[in-house]
Amino acid sequence: MAKSLFNIPSEILAKGPVGFIFAEDLTGLSSCIRHHARLGFKNLFVLKREDLKLPESCADLCTAIDIEDTFFSDVSPFINHLIGLFPDRWIYYCFN
């Protein structure tokens, strides 16, 4: 199955690294987002399925991106896509 990928214009990013959280469910998601925001990630994105609602307490700390692949069985297409979007940036990713 082809993965539906996303676009993030580099013009909207602040200087510094770009962080991505693959949100598989809501377990620990708000603490994961707050932890990375406290670490200083100004560019923090949460990749999630559409029906997974971002905790309201974290709405100002990150940007949610809805994607079709709900199980993240293979994140390599997403990581390769991110590298292509931001070739001159340090990219960090994790799972909640």
Side-chain angles (χ1 to χ4, degrees), residues 14-25:
K15 286 188 177 186
V18 184
F20 294 90
I21 299 171
F22 288 91
E24 299 176 298
D25 54 36

Side-chain angles (χ1 to χ4, degrees), residues 22-24 47-48 67 69-75 78 95:
F22 288 91
E24 299 176 298
L47 299 157
K48 64 178 196 63
I67 57 174
D69 189 343
T70 60
F71 298 108
F72 301 118
S73 57
D74 178 15
V75 298
F78 296 109
F95 297 86

Side-chain angles (χ1 to χ4, degrees), residues 8-75:
I8 302 169
S10 60
E11 301 81 39
I12 70 166
L13 298 178
K15 286 188 177 186
V18 184
F20 294 90
I21 299 171
F22 288 91
E24 299 176 298
D25 54 36
L26 290 175
T27 305
L29 182 58
S30 62
S31 61
C32 183
I33 293 169
R34 286 193 307 274
H35 170 73
H36 288 86
R38 279 193 303 269
L39 289 175
F41 279 95
K42 304 268 188 267
N43 304 301
L44 187 58
F45 297 88
V46 177
L47 299 157
K48 64 178 196 63
R49 60 181 196 265
E50 188 175 346
D51 67 322
L52 193 70
K53 300 301 177 202
L54 199 63
E56 286 184 27
S57 63
C58 298
D60 293 339
L61 302 175
C62 62
T63 301
I65 299 174
D66 292 336
I67 57 174
E68 292 178 15
D69 189 343
T70 60
F71 298 108
F72 301 118
S73 57
D74 178 15
V75 298

